[in-house]
Each structure stands twice: as C-alpha cells, then as structure tokens.
Amino acid sequence: MTTISLHIPSEATKIAEAIAQKGGQAFLVGGTVRDHFLSGNRPKDLDIEVFHLASETLESLLANFGSVHLVGKQFGVFKLTSPKENYDISLPRRENKTGKGHRGFFVEADPEMNFEEAALRRDFTINAMGYDILGKTFIDPFHGQEDLENKILRHVGPRFIEDPLRVLRAMQFAGRFSFQIAPETVELCRGLDLNELPKERLFEEFKKLLLKADRPSLGLEAAKMLGVLEYFPELEALINVPQDPQWHPEGDVWTHNGMVIDEAAKLRDGNEQQDLCLMFGALCHDFGKPPTTELKEGRWRSIGHCEAGIAPAEQFLRRMTEENALIETVKTLVAEHLRPAYLYGDRGQITEGAIRRLSLRVSIPLLVKVAQADHFGRTTPDAIAREFPAGEWLLEQAEVLKVRDRQPAPILMGRHLISLGMKPGPEMGQILKIAFELQLDGKIAALDQALTWAEQKLFEGPVNNSMENSENLKGRFSAPARPEEMNTDSSHEIGSPGLKYACRNCGQSIENVPYCMFCGTKQDNLIPQNDFTALQVPWHGDDSESLRRIPFGDQIEQKIERKSKWMKFVAFVHYFVAAGLGMTALIGGISGEILFRIIFLIIAGILFYEGRVLWKASNYFRLVAVTDEADQIYIAEGAEQLKAFFLLDSIFYGVILILVFFLERLGNG
C-alpha cells in the first residue's frame, strides 16, 4: 500500500467517516482511481465500495446524505443522489457464471471479503485499483498502475472470459487511452462469443468509443485484432478494398475509414445526438465501396458507392440499436456524403433550388462535417494542407438562403387555397406540391406571390389527369372566393380550416379535410364528427408562429386522454356548483338582501358558462388523442388559452367561499 492524496469532494469524505463510525471501510474503486492516474484531475465518476458493513445499515446511513435507490438487493448496489454529487456505492460481491449472456450470473454481496478477493471480478488491472478515503492509501493488488504507465491493457484473471462484453470494453479502452492489449488478453478475447450479448450492450461500447476517444481508429484496429469484426461484416468488408492512389494515396478503404473517423472526432461539439450521427456517419460512409469497387481502364473506381452504402449501413446499425432517428440520419449522410464536393464542382450551374432541396433531406452543417472528415481522412496535398473549400462554400450558400439551420417551410398552405374557394381533394395536394417546388426554386418568395400564382393556376384548368376540364376545376369552388369576403369571426367550428391535424401517410400538417393537401391520401375516420361539431377554438389566421409543434407518441396520447377526462370532471363540478348556487338563490335558502341573491345568480351563470367551455375543450383534447397514427400534431396556440379557464376556476371558487363565509356571519349576527 502507498500513501497518496486524491482530490475528492468533502462530502465523499463525510460519507466515509459515517461508514467508519458504523464499523465499515470505504474505498474509491474502478474508473475513479484509474482516471486520477490518467489525467490527475478530480474524479468525475465517484464509485465507492464499502467493506465490513451490512446492506441494511449502509442503506440507512446513506439516506442521511440524499436520495438512495437500491439497484438490486442481492447485488448490494446503491445509487446515491445528493445535492452536490452522484455516487455509485456498492458492497463487495461474488459473481459465478451460471449460463449464457450478461444475465447468466449468480451474484451475492459479501461485505466481509478482502479487497484483493473482491477485485478479482474486475475486468482489467487498471480498473482493479482502490483508494482508502480516510486512510489515504492506494491499493493495487494486480499492478494496475504499472500497466497504466506502460499503456498496457491486461486482464485481471481467468474469470475474465465469463463476460463476452469485455472484448468490446478492450476495444473502446484501447481507442480511448491509446493502449496496447497484452497478448495473453488478446488470446482470451478471441475465444469469446459476442452473440450472447444483447444489442444494447454492443451499442453502448461503440458509443463510448466514438464519443470519448480522440482516435477511435485505434479501437477499430483493436477490434480487428480481437476478432470482433467477424460479428460486424460491414466493417470487415472494408479491409483490403483498393482505392485509386490519385485520390487515396493512404491505402485501402479500411485505412481511409480509420483516418476519417479520427477526423470526425475532432469535429464533435458535445451535443451527444449530433455527435453520434456524425461519428456513425463517418464510420459507415464508405460501406458501399466493397460491392462497387472494380478496375476500369487501369484505375480503381467505386461508381455508385454512396447509394450502395445505404443498406449495409442500416444492417450494421440495426445489429446494435433500434434508434430509428439515428439510423435514418446516418443513411442519409452515407447517401449524400459526396454532395458538397459535387455541388462545389458544378457551382457555376447549381441553382438555389438544389441547395434548398438538400436542406430538406439532411442537416447541411452535419453533412459538411462528414464530408470534411472524409476529405481530410486521406493523404492528398489538399487534405494535408487542411483545405476543403467545398464545405465552406456550401455553408455560405445555405446561410444566404436561410437554410443552414432550418428547413424551408411551405408558404402556400391548404387553408390559403380554401380561402380562395377551392374544395379539398387530391388536386389541392398537386397544386401545393407545385407551389412548393416553385418556392424552392426561388420563383415564389412571399404569400402574396403565392396567392396570385394559385388564383391564376386554379382558373387555368386541370392540374392532373383526374380533372377532365376547367369546369371540373371551377366546380370545386364555393363562395366567398376572397379572404376579405369571409366571415371575420375569430373562431371557427371544428371542420373549418382553423384546426390542424397530421396526414396519416406523409405526416404533413393538414386541415380537417377528407384528403391530404400534400400527398392526396384520403383521411378515413380521422374524427368522430358527432362529438365535435359544436366545438369552437380561436384561430390566428396566417401567422405560422401561432402554431405549436408537439411530438406525438404513446405518452403524449395518454397525457391528452387524462387531460380530457380531467376537463370533463371539472366541467361537471362547475355544473353541479352552478346548479346549487342558482337553486339556493332562487328558492331563498340564504338570508340577506336581494343583492346577495343576484350575486349568487351571476356567479352561477358564470360557472355554468365556464363548465360548458371546459366540456367542449375536453372533446377537443379527445380529438387530438384519436390521431394515434400521426408522427406529430400541430395545435392552434389559441387552444392553449383554454388553460386560462382553470385560473378562473380558482378565482371564482375563492369568491364563492368568501361570500358564503360572509353571508353566514351576517346571518348569524
């Protein structure tokens, strides 16, 4: 044992003191100690192992420092959340392999084990060190500090093979710390079967490698050496695939791919989801080269490899995760990763519409990052000089067109065509599509332009084969034809263009109409009309900022259903109280002047009206809930104003209570 000093929070010392008072001993363990020797900084993760103390005593003691969650009674693992820190606190435990997979273990806490015996279950020597918090002594039974100094990753003992996940941990540690793996550890790793592992555990190790390593390529080289690639054939296929030395003097696709992910790691910005898309996009970007690479006229070509890489990228990712948003984004990055270079090469002929359409498919800044990593991940002169004008040019163009950080939204919407007198139907969707294409090309830039174009287009004649002549088109119109002639009432009954839904097919925001105005899909049974014909909600005209976007899913649906039922209950209470107050005032159940009866009747009327509004609002929220197949829903912000009625509830109830109290005192006086 060696005496050293670690920078640890004062609260951790207080916890250790409390443990010692009960007869226990607290050690910092695992990555907490390892990271101290690697960086010298105060540990971010605080893992504490407690010896010579029963689980019940430890749990009771920890409750004095914050919220305690017992992960597993037989494991003896606690999560302590205090106002200052988060701790993983555990008892030493025995683990015996009983079956396949990460759940095939018998685990039993044993607080009377000694430190060396407890450390035998650890994976690598660098993770098997400990620090006595109060004694300030360092314990290293398996020479982990020596391996840290020599940058060697070595397993602790023969029980290493009980958990196949340790192969991937070796991969990500090698990448994160730039360590070599001991030959005897490599031999053990090559005999482990990763098929036992659930995909979530595979994903977590790749995630740590790609998000934490400065040079993730070292982890991939370790994976190659450890035999991991046989479980990921999309990666293995990159090895020895030749490339044209003019464009890729660095070597084969595997070599290039490693350089690309190292370059991508330099572009991470701390946004985990964006960084994951970037890193997996870089990792998968050339998955299409193995099936497309061939020697043509003395040069290696990979024609069509961007599109060919989409399917293997999805196969690779689905082997580890079902995060559809991540998978779809990576697929798009793979398909488009050469687009910045193509656009820049033809910049004299490229239209604004091409860039706007690109922004609809992918985030341009994210795409530029992947393309830049691809460009710098080679040894050509311009890459060595760190020159990538294509990326800078595309970002500048996107900024000018205002699509760098957001997608262009349609100017002309279905409600505008309805205001012109057009009846909803598939033809409306065709007109809106054409208008949006013109907008992307810069030929429509404002609503007044869009309305002028739409009015002219509508009276010109058929817009598709389903319309035989212009008379059919005119038949879809109904007066009034101009917005200024329409009813100016700020409310609309349900079924009017005031309320928004989402198309079941394309997910676009649509009005309450039989057909989607974007794709023409018929909206069967979207709303039980008999429930909602009387509902009125405020509408704010053409102001797109008055719409609030709400992500839809099971939790949102359940929340909306609960809100609907709660509103009905509150409405019923309003009716009940209003009826009681009204009857009391009319029958004469209260004492006092006629003025008090009038006040009670007024309050009863207000509560009755409020109850009526709340009852209608409950139907509105039910309406939202029934669109359970939509990916997202747009709700008029005016509906949010209904929350004001809940505030009125409390005000009126307060008035009632004050009046009842006052009248009782008056009557008894």
Side-chain angles (χ1 to χ4, degrees), residues 124-142:
F124 302 106
T125 59
I126 62 172
N127 293 329
M129 301 179 290
Y131 177 74
D132 185 340
I133 297 175
L134 297 183
K136 299 185 183 302
T137 54
F138 170 62
I139 303 176
D140 185 12
F142 303 106

Side-chain angles (χ1 to χ4, degrees), residues 236-247:
E236 189 174 39
L238 304 179
I239 300 172
N240 295 328
V241 175
Q243 301 184 106
D244 188 333
Q246 178 182 348
W247 304 108

Side-chain angles (χ1 to χ4, degrees), residues 377-562:
R378 63 189 77 193
T379 55
T380 53
D382 56 348
I384 294 173
R386 313 298 288 179
E387 297 172 355
F388 185 52
E392 297 173 5
W393 172 83
L394 181 55
L395 289 175
E396 289 173 359
Q397 296 301 309
E399 184 71 36
V400 170
L401 298 175
K402 298 181 179 180
V403 295
R404 174 171 175 153
D405 299 313
R406 62 183 178 183
Q407 297 178 340
I411 294 174
L412 188 67
M413 304 293 289
R415 63 176 180 272
H416 301 131
L417 295 182
I418 291 175
S419 74
L420 294 176
M422 185 178 186
K423 293 180 180 179
E427 296 83 5
M428 180 181 284
Q430 293 297 320
I431 291 178
L432 290 172
K433 285 181 179 179
I434 295 172
F436 191 46
E437 291 297 321
L438 292 173
Q439 177 187 331
L440 294 176
D441 290 330
K443 297 177 181 178
I444 291 179
L447 182 59
D448 57 347
Q449 288 180 297
L451 290 173
T452 300
W453 172 86
E455 200 167 27
Q456 179 182 0
K457 184 70 177 176
L458 291 174
F459 284 101
E460 280 179 356
V463 295
N464 62 30
N465 293 334
S466 65
M467 301 169 55
E468 297 179 359
N469 52 55
S470 60
E471 290 301 315
N472 289 342
L473 178 62
K474 294 176 182 178
R476 299 196 310 279
F477 286 77
S478 58
R482 298 296 300 169
E484 57 267 20
E485 298 175 320
M486 297 181 68
N487 186 348
T488 58
D489 186 358
S490 63
S491 299
H492 298 273
E493 286 192 354
I494 203 159
S496 76
L499 199 58
K500 308 290 283 187
Y501 309 99
C503 173
R504 294 178 180 272
N505 177 51
C506 68
Q508 289 281 359
S509 173
I510 62 173
E511 316 287 352
N512 177 24
V513 294
Y515 295 90
C516 173
M517 297 158 288
F518 289 88
C519 67
T521 303
K522 188 174 181 180
Q523 305 294 302
D524 292 325
N525 302 319
L526 181 63
I527 306 165
Q529 293 287 343
N530 59 321
D531 282 344
F532 310 117
T533 52
L535 174 63
Q536 293 181 339
V537 295
W539 177 249
H540 299 285
D542 296 330
D543 182 9
S544 62
E545 294 301 319
S546 67
L547 299 182
R548 187 176 186 185
R549 190 173 185 173
I550 297 182
F552 199 80
D554 291 341
Q555 292 181 346
I556 296 295
E557 180 179 350
Q558 294 167 8
K559 183 176 181 180
I560 290 172
E561 281 289 354
R562 289 196 299 271

Side-chain angles (χ1 to χ4, degrees), residues 292-434:
T292 59
T293 298
E294 56 184 344
L295 191 63
K296 282 191 173 184
E297 299 177 356
R299 303 185 67 176
W300 291 106
R301 300 293 181 88
S302 303
I303 300 173
H305 78 272
C306 295
E307 294 75 15
I310 297 173
E314 181 169 11
Q315 291 168 3
F316 172 74
L317 290 169
R318 290 205 181 277
R319 199 171 288 113
M320 295 185 290
T321 181
E322 292 297 331
E323 291 188 21
N324 288 325
L326 171 66
I327 293 171
E328 292 304 315
T329 300
V330 171
K331 286 167 58 180
T332 305
L333 290 171
V334 170
E336 304 282 358
H337 74 271
L338 291 181
R339 191 68 58 192
Y342 289 160
L343 293 175
Y344 182 71
D346 293 331
R347 59 190 178 280
Q349 291 77 41
I350 292 300
T351 65
E352 295 178 351
I355 296 174
R356 290 193 182 100
R357 288 179 176 85
L358 178 63
S359 73
L360 291 173
R361 300 193 298 271
V362 66
S363 162
I364 289 180
L366 182 59
L367 175 63
V368 168
K369 284 184 177 182
V370 173
Q372 178 177 312
D374 180 29
H375 183 73
F376 289 163
R378 63 189 77 193
T379 55
T380 53
D382 56 348
I384 294 173
R386 313 298 288 179
E387 297 172 355
F388 185 52
E392 297 173 5
W393 172 83
L394 181 55
L395 289 175
E396 289 173 359
Q397 296 301 309
E399 184 71 36
V400 170
L401 298 175
K402 298 181 179 180
V403 295
R404 174 171 175 153
D405 299 313
R406 62 183 178 183
Q407 297 178 340
I411 294 174
L412 188 67
M413 304 293 289
R415 63 176 180 272
H416 301 131
L417 295 182
I418 291 175
S419 74
L420 294 176
M422 185 178 186
K423 293 180 180 179
E427 296 83 5
M428 180 181 284
Q430 293 297 320
I431 291 178
L432 290 172
K433 285 181 179 179
I434 295 172

Side-chain angles (χ1 to χ4, degrees), residues 244-273:
D244 188 333
Q246 178 182 348
W247 304 108
H248 291 281
E250 69 277 0
D252 65 359
V253 178
W254 172 264
T255 303
H256 167 63
N257 211 56
M259 296 177 68
V260 170
I261 61 171
D262 287 350
E263 290 293 338
K266 299 175 184 177
L267 302 175
R268 297 181 305 228
D269 61 11
N271 182 318
E272 182 174 300
Q273 193 60 33

Side-chain angles (χ1 to χ4, degrees), residues 178-191:
S178 302
F179 280 17
Q180 297 294 318
I181 304 175
E184 61 272 23
T185 302
V186 172
E187 186 177 352
L188 287 179
C189 287
R190 294 183 67 87

Side-chain angles (χ1 to χ4, degrees), residues 156-211:
V156 169
R159 298 184 59 184
F160 176 86
I161 63 174
E162 292 180 349
D163 187 358
L165 184 70
R166 289 169 171 173
V167 180
L168 293 180
R169 285 175 63 80
M171 172 194 75
Q172 61 107 342
F173 282 141
R176 286 170 57 190
F177 305 139
S178 302
F179 280 17
Q180 297 294 318
I181 304 175
E184 61 272 23
T185 302
V186 172
E187 186 177 352
L188 287 179
C189 287
R190 294 183 67 87
L192 297 182
D193 184 4
L194 299 187
N195 288 320
E196 293 185 18
L197 299 173
K199 60 173 60 179
E200 295 80 9
R201 298 189 84 196
L202 301 176
F203 183 68
E204 282 304 312
E205 298 306 315
F206 268 94
K207 182 176 173 180
K208 290 175 184 176
L209 171 66
L210 295 177
L211 294 185

